[in-house]
Amino acid sequence: MNKKFFCLMVISFGFLLASGVYSQSISNSPSQIRYDTTEQGNSIVHTIIIPHDSNFKVYPEVAPELQSIETFATQHKAIAVINAGYFDPKNQKTTSYITRQGKLVADPRTNERLIKNPDLQPYLDKILNRTEFRRYICSHRFRYDITFHQDDIPNGCVLIDAIGGGPQILPQNTAFEEGFTDYQAEEKIRDAIGTTQLNARSAIALTNNGDLILALVAQKPESPTNSGMSLEQLADFLTTLGVEKAMNLDGGSSASLYYDGKTVYGRLDSEGNQIQRPIKSVILVR
């Protein structure tokens, strides 16, 4: 049996497998999804925790055109959805790699506004090796990981799904290694996503026991221009939940989280109104 045929067989088998102020759970024997909201200084953090031994599946999806997070949820009958990879709002093309069911379905190298942008030429190698959330099948079991795009697939595993974001914020912040920030003579000359500023944020994380966490940092209506979190603050908060690995997702006006029929948008305008922005890709929970 050749290696390609074996991998296809493994993938096919895999597809057949199936401190909060407010807390809500959805029964799913033997475990539950838990949704919490927690006030943290100048922000409200919404978290969805998917236990490692649950029957829920977490994976990415991408749309041909920008669409609302509610549309993603309805189309895929998802219990929870969080916005995911970066995209160019002008040409609606991804700037993140996305793999779905073993196939590369979105490739930032085909985005001419990214590849041919003269200002980004010094950072392209880093941009094309940003952190991604992965779902493998290993010995007939699903396994999740957060790692760089060019990192090897573990022995005995087959990559099923992956979606890029970045930077990695735990166990360490890799904003410089991923081309989000740059320095010259110890002075910051680039910060593409305002890593140290307060803003709405989205992230996906893995705890030390293998639980998955979706996190949305929402700004406060009473202080819309001075609320949210920096990436360091988000990492500190996730550490209190036992997180070992975490990846930042597209934030700001894209930051949005759907759960059980309700949507929270992270970014507010100057009057405290939620900004509802259509997005290119998401991470679903089914």
Side-chain angles (χ1 to χ4, degrees):
M1 182 184 298
N2 62 49
K3 184 175 180 181
K4 181 177 180 180
F5 181 70
F6 173 77
C7 290
L8 288 173
M9 286 183 63
V10 173
I11 291 174
S12 298
F13 180 79
F15 295 151
L16 296 174
L17 294 175
S19 87
V21 176
Y22 170 79
S23 180
Q24 177 180 351
S25 298
I26 287 184
S27 296
N28 177 48
S29 181
S31 302
Q32 297 176 327
I33 285 181
R34 193 174 81 243
Y35 169 55
D36 296 322
T37 61
T38 309
E39 287 205 33
Q40 288 285 310
N42 290 329
S43 64
I44 301 173
V45 186
H46 301 257
T47 55
I48 295 175
I49 301 176
I50 304 103
H52 66 279
D53 56 352
S54 75
N55 294 324
F56 289 100
K57 180 172 67 172
V58 182
Y59 62 94
E61 282 290 357
V62 59
E65 298 179 349
L66 304 186
Q67 61 186 35
S68 69
I69 194 169
E70 294 92 345
T71 301
F72 276 106
T74 300
Q75 287 179 343
H76 301 283
K77 300 179 181 179
I79 283 177
V81 187
I82 194 167
N83 72 288
Y86 295 97
F87 62 93
D88 187 324
K90 290 188 176 181
N91 63 15
Q92 299 193 11
K93 291 186 177 181
T94 181
T95 57
S96 302
Y97 287 102
I98 304 174
T99 297
R100 185 74 184 97
Q101 297 181 349
K103 295 181 180 180
L104 185 65
V105 296
D107 189 338
R109 295 170 298 183
T110 65
N111 187 338
E112 62 280 358
R113 281 175 50 84
L114 170 67
I115 299 301
K116 295 182 179 180
N117 186 333
D119 295 333
L120 296 179
Q121 293 307 307
Y123 308 106
L124 270 184
D125 287 346
K126 293 182 175 182
I127 290 172
L128 296 176
N129 188 32
R130 284 178 170 168
T131 302
E132 62 186 19
F133 168 70
R134 292 179 176 180
R135 187 167 73 108
Y136 305 116
I137 185 166
C138 311
S139 301
H140 312 313
R141 294 179 64 87
F142 286 121
R143 171 182 162 189
Y144 299 102
D145 198 8
I146 293 171
T147 188
F148 289 111
H149 174 71
Q150 294 176 11
D151 283 355
D152 293 335
I153 297 170
N155 290 334
C157 298
V158 175
L159 180 66
I160 305 296
D161 304 306
I163 187 162
Q168 183 182 140
I169 56 175
L170 286 173
Q172 61 185 355
N173 187 313
T174 57
F176 174 77
E177 289 80 0
E178 298 183 44
F180 288 101
T181 58
D182 195 14
Y183 299 84
Q184 190 173 75
E186 298 185 359
E187 181 179 345
K188 186 184 290 183
I189 59 172
R190 172 177 167 81
D191 192 348
I193 56 173
T195 58
T196 60
Q197 298 173 3
L198 299 181
N199 203 352
R201 306 281 180 187
S202 299
I204 186 166
L206 282 165
T207 68
N208 49 22
N209 67 352
D211 293 347
L212 270 172
I213 298 178
L214 308 181
L216 174 84
V217 177
Q219 296 181 310
K220 287 188 172 182
E222 61 269 27
S223 55
T225 60
N226 187 34
S227 58
M229 281 184 172
S230 68
L231 289 190
E232 182 179 2
Q233 290 171 331
L234 177 54
D236 289 343
F237 170 76
L238 291 173
T239 299
T240 68
L241 302 182
V243 166
E244 288 191 340
K245 290 186 176 183
M247 177 179 82
N248 181 61
L249 300 168
D250 189 10
S253 297
S254 295
S256 49
L257 179 71
Y258 169 96
Y259 177 73
D260 196 25
K262 298 180 181 179
T263 305
V264 178
Y265 297 93
R267 181 76 173 175
L268 305 177
D269 63 21
S270 59
E271 296 180 353
N273 301 308
Q274 292 184 334
I275 296 175
Q276 302 182 22
R277 182 190 194 188
I279 50 182
K280 181 71 175 178
S281 61
V282 296
I283 294 173
L284 302 169
V285 181
R286 289 188 60 186

